[in-house]
Amino acid sequence: MNKKNAAKETLLKEIAKCRSCRFCVDVCPTYQASEGVESMSAYGRLQLIKYLLTGILEFDDSLTYCLYSCLQCRRCEVVCKSKGQDIDICKIIQMGRSLLSQNLVQGNSNEKI
Amino acid sequence: MKRSKTLIAQALSTLKENMERTGDPLGFRHTYWTEWANGLGLPKGGKTVLLTARMYQMLPYVIQTTDMVASIKPLLAIKGFGKVLSMGNRLAGETVIRLKAIGAKKIKARGTKALKGIISALNSVGEYPAYLYEAEPYSGVLLYDLGLEDGIALHINKVYELLKDHGVEEVIAVDPHTTFMMKEIYPKYIKNYDIRVKHYLEVLSEGKENLGNTSHKDLPKEFVMHDSCVMTRDLGIVECPICLINLMKYEAELGVRVWDMGEILHAALVNPSSK
């Protein structure tokens, strides 16, 4: 398994831990700033990464904007931990960005990650 | 949100190219980052160094760069424009950004005061760090934040080698992002990483009883503290006051004067009558 595929597998395993409780949604500053767009929240971004990795979605302007607008402030993780889960949400978004960045820099912006 | 993909792709490519070419995120070949230290007589080398990582000094240039990018955003949708822009940036970007940033004297002066305040406060607690001047490296935190993993390993190794060549054993960083990068990320890329890294407020809090005589007359009567995400959640530093540099850009919008901790230290320790 190459490095890219190993990263994808790790990401999907981590995302699968999410119980979809959505407690992280309300505390996300970009969710608040977007006045309630769930794709602009921590939970929304995890779902986007999952669907990008499984090939259901391809990245476009909106998805790129959602992933790169995360402030990495970790407010979502504080809530996640307090609700009994301990998902490293910002690390997942960071790894998602990493996969996306490689494609964007190489000019393969229409490929799936 | 429109054209985000093109804009981000262009920004990432330019950043990566700048870093590879010059080691600087803005692609500046020459250094504009050392003027703040004029007259301070800081030693050029030593076991403990202050690492500004250009964060305060870059502020006027970053503001100009983001303004310029915002003004040409519609053009980025045109196929091929990104390549032309990249070439233009290589040839004239530095000159244009530098000329435009000359107007941002006020924000530059505040960055200088903040850095001088930090040095003065460190001296008060018995810490006299060296400064590497033109040799001072950029931490590479933007590469990490934006997920440019390919470029990060190479950059981190270069920075580490440079610090070792200068005999550096301890780094005192002035901003939370550089502290996080050098404390938490560098060790993941370098085997047996042995450079001690502290934020300057950690150093001050260790010797706060020695801070000496301070003047309160020029300090703001009321101020808002910024809860830095990086300090509290990435670094677990919750007991020191924190850095406000990011909020300085939004003063007009927020309608408040944001005081950086370095500026407060400058007003209290260096030159009480200068604001």
Side-chain angles (χ1 to χ4, degrees):
Chain A
M1 191 185 291
N2 66 27
K3 201 178 158 190
K4 199 172 169 182
N5 285 337
K8 282 182 188 177
E9 196 165 298
T10 308
L11 276 175
L12 285 171
K13 272 186 190 166
E14 279 300 304
I15 295 169
K17 289 182 190 168
C18 173
R19 293 189 204 133
S20 302
C21 71
R22 290 180 168 83
F23 279 109
C24 61
V25 172
D26 281 337
V27 299
C28 177
T30 56
Y31 172 78
Q32 292 165 9
S34 69
E35 296 176 352
V37 178
E38 197 172 66
S39 306
M40 293 289 282
S41 71
Y43 174 74
R45 291 185 179 102
L46 293 193
Q47 298 309 305
L48 290 182
I49 292 170
K50 182 169 84 181
Y51 292 125
L52 282 167
L53 290 173
T54 48
I56 293 168
L57 290 175
E58 288 183 27
F59 42 72
D60 58 11
D61 284 332
S62 308
L63 300 194
T64 309
Y65 185 80
C66 290
L67 283 183
Y68 282 93
S69 57
C70 168
L71 303 173
Q72 297 272 300
C73 71
R74 297 183 189 272
R75 288 178 85 175
C76 49
E77 290 179 8
V78 175
V79 182
C80 189
K81 203 167 190 174
S82 73
K83 296 294 173 192
Q85 285 281 83
D86 195 6
I87 302 173
D88 201 347
I89 301 169
C90 289
K91 181 72 187 166
I92 294 173
I93 295 170
Q94 170 78 14
M95 285 176 77
R97 269 184 194 173
S98 180
L99 291 170
L100 192 55
S101 289
Q102 285 168 32
N103 277 13
L104 287 172
V105 168
Q106 287 159 10
N108 306 325
S109 53
N110 291 318
E111 279 187 13
K112 294 171 185 174
I113 54 176
Chain B
M1 204 179 287
K2 276 182 185 174
R3 305 181 191 99
S4 292
K5 198 169 66 178
T6 319
L7 187 65
I8 291 170
Q10 186 58 45
L12 291 172
S13 303
T14 306
L15 174 67
K16 190 167 181 273
E17 200 182 292
N18 284 344
M19 290 291 290
E20 283 167 0
R21 194 164 45 91
T22 63
D24 185 279
L26 294 176
F28 284 9
R29 280 180 193 280
H30 307 289
T31 47
Y32 310 110
W33 319 127
T34 60
E35 281 173 21
W36 70 273
N38 289 347
L40 292 180
L42 300 175
K44 282 196 168 185
K47 288 181 181 175
T48 301
V49 294
L50 183 88
L51 196 74
T52 70
R54 308 167 193 182
M55 296 293 271
Y56 283 95
Q57 301 96 307
M58 273 205 293
L59 208 53
Y61 304 100
V62 169
I63 291 168
Q64 293 311 320
T65 309
T66 45
D67 283 353
M68 279 168 66
V69 170
S71 66
I72 56 142
K73 201 175 166 187
L75 294 170
L76 286 166
I78 301 167
K79 203 177 175 185
F81 184 77
K83 280 260 179 243
V84 176
L85 178 74
S86 180
M87 200 179 288
N89 183 46
R90 244 196 329 263
L91 297 172
E94 178 180 323
T95 315
V96 174
I97 294 167
R98 203 181 152 206
L99 285 172
K100 282 176 83 78
I102 288 171
K105 276 182 186 162
K106 209 172 167 186
I107 206 144
K108 189 178 176 185
R110 284 172 60 182
T112 300
K113 273 187 190 175
L115 288 168
K116 284 184 172 175
I118 290 166
I119 284 288
S120 182
L122 287 170
N123 291 169
S124 295
V125 300
E127 192 67 66
Y128 295 88
Y131 175 50
L132 297 178
Y133 290 84
E134 287 82 3
E136 184 186 64
Y138 174 68
S139 70
V141 66
L142 267 174
L143 290 174
Y144 177 77
D145 279 350
L146 293 170
L148 290 165
E149 297 270 330
D150 284 353
I152 199 79
L154 186 68
H155 184 76
I156 283 176
N157 275 293
K158 274 186 195 169
V159 173
Y160 183 69
E161 272 175 34
L162 187 146
L163 293 174
K164 294 306 273 184
D165 287 348
H166 282 80
V168 175
E169 292 176 8
E170 183 175 56
V171 160
I172 300 175
V174 302
D175 69 280
H177 298 273
T178 303
T179 314
F180 168 69
M181 190 71 188
M182 300 200 71
K183 210 172 186 171
E184 305 292 331
I185 307 302
Y186 275 40
K188 291 180 185 169
Y189 288 87
I190 295 165
K191 215 176 170 182
N192 304 321
Y193 181 73
D194 56 356
I195 292 179
R196 294 187 302 279
V197 182
K198 282 181 184 172
H199 187 269
Y200 79 90
L201 289 172
E202 289 181 277
V203 179
L204 295 185
S205 68
E206 285 165 10
K208 58 189 170 201
E209 64 280 359
N210 300 320
L211 257 173
N213 294 326
T214 56
S215 163
H216 297 271
K217 92 177 161 62
D218 286 327
L219 293 178
K221 287 195 176 88
E222 290 180 2
F223 51 89
V224 177
M225 300 303 290
H226 170 215
D227 173 19
S228 160
C229 316
V230 180
M231 287 282 263
T232 53
R233 292 193 270 276
D234 281 334
L235 293 165
I237 300 169
V238 290
E239 289 174 359
C240 308
I242 32 193
C243 165
L244 301 170
I245 191 165
N246 286 325
L247 278 177
M248 285 161 76
K249 291 179 277 187
Y250 305 107
E251 281 182 336
E253 209 174 306
L254 295 167
V256 293
R257 167 67 159 87
V258 178
W259 283 75
D260 183 82
M261 185 50 67
E263 284 186 286
I264 291 174
L265 290 167
H266 185 270
L269 297 164
V270 183
N271 187 2
S273 59
S274 73
K275 276 191 182 178

